[in-house]
Amino acid sequence: MRHQNRVKKLGRTSAHRKQLLRNLTSSLFYHYNIVTSLPKAKATRSFAERLISFGKKNTLAARREALKKLPDRKIIKKLFDEIAPAYANVNGGYTRIMKLGLRKGDGAEKALLELIGFEDKIKEHVDRREQKREERKKKGEEAM
């Protein structure tokens, strides 16, 4: 029984789990959405929403607390300057988890974790990625 066991262990040691959540959250704040397994998405959601709440306070103490949890200054700057102000009048529920079905290799349930309200930024990211892909493809064809 899991009475009073609130931490989702995800089959990892505490240090590995901590770093996994940091990396997933950094990717979420950088790309505005990520695709991962459902349990990882649920664990990342609570971690990310706590950091967004720190960002909404926008004090030096909150910034230092966020840096303790996520020691990437560029991502923290983006969190405090761009992401958190978008949720100034919202009390929680900053992320959305959408189930995507089963993963082909091992049958694990996949999920899309995204920041609500940043759909236009996600589209810009996707368009930029496709444009870079096309440029690389043209460059490869010219080399031949």
Side-chain angles (χ1 to χ4, degrees), residues 64-117:
R64 285 178 175 164
E65 196 64 36
L67 273 167
K68 267 198 259 182
K69 306 275 186 205
L70 192 69
D72 186 349
R73 290 186 183 275
K74 290 179 185 175
I75 297 294
I76 293 296
K77 182 170 176 35
K78 186 174 187 176
L79 169 66
F80 276 77
D81 296 344
E82 185 180 333
I83 296 171
Y87 298 114
N89 300 323
V90 181
N91 295 325
Y94 315 119
T95 58
R96 172 188 303 133
I97 295 178
M98 290 190 289
K99 294 181 181 180
L100 297 178
L102 302 178
R103 192 160 50 204
K104 200 169 191 176
D106 59 357
E109 213 172 352
K110 290 192 315 184
L112 174 74
L113 176 64
E114 65 181 0
L115 295 173
I116 295 174

